[in-house]
Amino acid sequence: MKARVVFNESKNVYELLSQEGQPNELANVFLAANTVRGLSFDTIRAYAYDLQSFFFWLKGGGKQLKEISESDLLMFVSWQRDLKLSAKTINRRLTAIRVFYRFCFCEDLPSAPYSLSSNSYYRGSGKDRNLGLHNRRRNSSLKLRVKEAKKLIKPLSIDEVKVFIRSISKYRDLALVYLMLFNGLRSIEVRRLKWCDLDTLTMRMKVHGKGNKERMLPLNEVLKEVLEKYRQIEHPKNTSSEYVFTILQGTNRGKQMKASSI
């Protein structure tokens, strides 16, 4: 059984607990510190699950945090590959491990024999000058990364979008899809949307994006009508939640939707 990631509502932070339910002090101090820094809860949550995987691997190999080096990360990558994780996820976890190690010991992971690093794009001096650019300072400490394949995104056709929209049975879900389709909102931006962010007089909405950056977007008439029907018919009346998209059924009815729900 792996360590567990939990959300401590009293402290408003994510925490990592051992298999026996004991808090992982180092990881929790790290997560709390990044919460104080103002990182989004989704970033903190990702850090928590990355460290959960890392500590599970450490325990399986019988190693302590202070004992690992850059060469050990190659074995960690191999283990993650066996779990069929994507290159993007593995690279994010490698970054999280290095940031966590630096937080704990005020130094980077030590280098060791048989460690690998990525190659820089420009190799050798002068190649960037041939492109008409100024000299680039070479990165002297390139870190191990897994090569990520370039994926070609194939958009849905108009007919496929119509079929998908017709399959939606709730006004809440239809409003959620329209926000992504008409306004290009990310899932995290949909979750963060509050009723006070919607201005039906000026037909605009305030969106809270990555890094808590705000921007204003138009609110079209179709979306406005769907949101009004959702609020009148489906939205829980006895909830104090300020978020637009909430859970409609079960013991968590009225609470903010989770990322997995979206």
Side-chain angles (χ1 to χ4, degrees), residues 20 98 105 119 165 200 259:
E20 298 76 23
R98 292 189 179 98
F105 304 113
N119 290 323
I165 289 178
T200 56

Side-chain angles (χ1 to χ4, degrees), residues 128-141:
D128 37 7
R129 285 199 299 274
N130 293 337
L131 296 175
L133 304 175
H134 297 290
N135 287 332
R136 292 178 73 255
R137 182 173 61 85
R138 292 193 63 180
N139 193 336
S140 58
S141 58

Side-chain angles (χ1 to χ4, degrees), residues 171 195 226-237:
Y171 285 117
W195 290 111
V226 173
L227 283 167
E228 288 176 347
K229 290 180 179 179
Y230 158 55
R231 192 168 194 178
Q232 293 170 3
I233 300 173
E234 299 173 348
H235 191 268
K237 301 297 187 293

Side-chain angles (χ1 to χ4, degrees), residues 69-72 110-116:
S69 64
E70 280 286 344
S71 60
D72 292 310
S111 58
Y114 311 112
S115 58
L116 294 174

Side-chain angles (χ1 to χ4, degrees), residues 120-180:
S120 59
Y121 185 80
Y122 295 105
R123 304 190 64 179
S125 59
K127 289 197 173 183
D128 37 7
R129 285 199 299 274
N130 293 337
L131 296 175
L133 304 175
H134 297 290
N135 287 332
R136 292 178 73 255
R137 182 173 61 85
R138 292 193 63 180
N139 193 336
S140 58
S141 58
L142 295 171
K143 305 299 183 183
L144 171 67
R145 288 181 62 84
V146 178
K147 186 174 181 180
E148 298 181 30
K150 300 289 186 180
K151 292 185 178 181
L152 180 64
I153 299 175
K154 182 182 178 182
L156 297 176
S157 67
I158 294 177
D159 290 336
E160 288 172 330
V161 172
K162 288 180 180 178
V163 170
F164 175 63
I165 289 178
R166 286 175 188 148
S167 70
I168 298 173
S169 60
K170 292 185 176 67
Y171 285 117
R172 180 201 64 181
D173 299 342
L174 187 59
L176 191 153
V177 170
Y178 278 172
L179 281 167
M180 294 182 173

